[in-house]
């Protein structure tokens, strides 16, 4: 019995040391590319692209769960040829630390992001958001409508769904249980399944070559980020239950782009009801397309953003 306990403790220590070393190596491989913005109670990692003096509102891009700003950068690079683009690591993701466990909801993250935009001198912006961040962008439009010139939501989460956020997210979010697991087995197991998990998110489309590397997805396997991501997913359902009845209040132009075979965020549960609830909404459903619409149809997504930005410029000129 004692021998088994010693062996178990030794295995746990070895895994913890391997995780610590692995996290350091991942961070060295994928260093921050932008700058840190200090706001009340948080620091956000921000990458700015394109001309700062571009005509029209800046385009702010927000990534989904299990991700970071690099997942939005290919789209950002495309838009930045003519627009100021601001990519943000949400609190707890990428290189934005999370100061408090409770900072997992769209309401709290929205306040932090709005404060960061103020620091950047951005009064109004077009907000482009994918997946989990769809709920975040909607919350910003509800709580601070003057900041949002328009919304382009890609496969957004907007409403509660049947079931939960996955047993492993529940476990990792559980105090006293989740942190020891995150600091021992999450990283080695994550390395084994990272590629297959990414392929599942892209299905039925093929995953782009080197996506896991180029999107810096392995940053997720660091214990603190894995816990933050799990917490985001576990608390999201209650958050959308609370905010969904208010969607009819949104007056900003809204474009929603979703795939009709998305197995990660159901278009029938989220995009279609949202389009029916928001008076200004435009819905584009892509046949045979899964969750990663910004990779599958980048020209269409860029066109929707450009069209919305053009409308903003036209309205300003008309007002003058």
């Amino acid at each position: 019995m004692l021998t088994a306990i010693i062996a178990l403790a030794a295995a746990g220590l070895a895994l913890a040391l391997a995780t610590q070393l692995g996290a350091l190596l991942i961070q060295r491989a994928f260093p921050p590319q932008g700058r840190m913005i200090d706001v009340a109670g948080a620091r956000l990692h921000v990458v700015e692209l394109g001309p700062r003096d571009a005509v029209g509102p800046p385009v702010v891009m927000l990534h989904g769960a299990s991700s970071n700003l690099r997942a939005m950068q290919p789209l950002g690079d495309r838009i930045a040829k003519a627009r100021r683009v601001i990519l943000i690591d949400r609190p707890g993701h990428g290189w934005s630390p999370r100061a408090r466990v409770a900072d997992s909801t769209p309401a709290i993250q929205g306040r932090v992001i709005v404060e960061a935009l103020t620091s950047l001198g951005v009064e109004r912006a077009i907000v482009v958001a994918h997946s989990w961040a769809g709920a975040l962008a909607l919350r910003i439009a509800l709580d601070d409508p003057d900041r949002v010139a328009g919304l382009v939501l890609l496969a957004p989460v907007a409403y509660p769904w049947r079931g939960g956020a996955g047993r492993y997210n529940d476990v990792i979010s559980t105090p006293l249980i989740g942190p020891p697991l995150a600091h021992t087995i999450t990283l080695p197991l994550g390395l084994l399944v990272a590629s297959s998990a990414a392929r599942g998110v892209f299905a039925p489309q093929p995953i782009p070559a080197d996506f896991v590397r180029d999107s810096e997805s392995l940053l997720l396997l660091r214990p603190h980020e894995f816990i933050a991501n799990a917490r985001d997913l576990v608390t999201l359902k209650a958050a959308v239950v609370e905010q969904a009845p208010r969607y009819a209040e949104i007056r900003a132009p809204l474009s929603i782009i979703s795939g009709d075979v998305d197995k990660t965020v159901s278009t029938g549960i989220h995009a279609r009801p949202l389009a029916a609830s928001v008076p200004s909404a435009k819905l584009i459903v892509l046949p045979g397309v899964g969750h990663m619409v910004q990779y599958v149809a980048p020209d269409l997504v860029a066109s929707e953003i450009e069209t919305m930005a053009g409308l903003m410029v036209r309205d300003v000129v008309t007002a003058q």
Side-chain angles (χ1 to χ4, degrees):
M1 182 67 175
L2 180 59
T3 302
I5 292 174
I6 293 174
L8 184 61
L13 178 60
L15 286 170
L17 291 174
T19 293
Q20 185 176 16
L21 176 60
L24 289 173
L25 291 174
I26 288 171
Q27 292 188 156
R28 183 174 296 178
F30 305 116
Q33 301 297 313
R35 63 185 175 115
M36 304 302 296
I37 303 293
D38 290 308
V39 297
R43 300 189 78 204
L44 291 182
H45 176 234
V46 173
V47 170
E48 295 189 72
L49 306 171
R52 292 181 61 88
D53 59 351
V55 177
V59 177
V60 174
M61 295 191 170
L62 304 174
H63 65 86
S66 306
S67 186
N68 62 75
L69 63 78
R70 291 281 286 170
M72 301 295 286
Q73 190 153 350
L75 177 62
D77 288 337
R78 180 182 294 249
I79 299 299
K81 295 174 183 178
R83 306 283 172 198
R84 182 186 181 190
V85 174
I86 301 170
L87 303 166
I88 300 175
D89 276 332
R90 294 192 292 105
H93 299 263
W95 286 98
S96 293
R98 178 172 295 179
R100 296 175 295 266
V101 174
D103 293 354
S104 63
T105 64
I108 294 174
Q109 294 189 22
R111 288 197 294 270
V112 170
I113 287 168
V114 166
E115 187 172 343
L117 293 178
T118 299
S119 297
L120 292 168
V122 176
E123 296 182 358
R124 300 182 78 227
I126 294 172
V127 181
V128 180
H130 179 238
S131 194
W132 191 101
L136 170 58
L138 291 165
R139 187 70 193 218
I140 294 172
L142 289 169
D143 291 349
D144 210 336
D146 291 340
R147 293 282 186 164
V148 179
L151 294 166
V152 179
L153 304 186
L154 312 174
V157 175
Y159 291 92
W161 60 94
R162 182 176 297 178
R167 180 62 58 85
Y168 65 96
N169 288 314
D170 291 333
V171 171
I172 293 295
S173 297
T174 302
L176 303 180
I177 298 175
L181 293 176
H183 284 83
T184 53
I185 65 172
T186 294
L187 191 149
L189 289 179
L191 290 173
L192 293 175
V193 303
S195 294
S196 62
R199 285 195 297 271
V201 175
F202 274 89
Q205 279 70 47
I207 186 172
D210 300 321
F211 171 80
V212 172
R213 183 199 67 193
D214 293 343
S215 65
E216 303 184 358
S217 297
L218 295 184
L219 288 171
L220 171 66
L221 301 181
R222 297 171 298 168
H224 69 273
E225 182 167 347
F226 200 85
I227 293 170
N229 186 68
R231 184 70 180 169
D232 283 358
L233 292 168
V234 166
T235 59
L236 180 58
K237 188 173 182 178
V240 293
V241 166
E242 188 271 331
Q243 70 184 44
R246 298 177 55 200
Y247 290 154
E249 301 173 17
I250 295 174
R251 292 294 178 264
L254 168 61
S255 180
I256 308 164
I257 306 173
S258 290
D260 70 346
V261 293
D262 188 339
K263 301 300 183 185
T264 303
V265 177
S266 167
T267 296
I269 293 174
H270 300 278
R272 292 188 187 278
L274 179 62
S277 297
V278 178
S280 61
K282 171 185 178 182
L283 174 63
I284 301 173
V285 178
L286 304 177
V289 172
H291 189 56
M292 301 297 281
V293 294
Q294 68 269 39
Y295 284 84
V296 179
D299 291 339
L300 172 65
V301 174
S303 176
E304 285 299 306
I305 297 170
E306 286 295 338
T307 297
M308 189 170 290
L311 290 174
M312 303 299 109
V313 173
R314 187 191 67 186
D315 289 346
V316 170
V317 172
T318 301
Q320 294 174 341

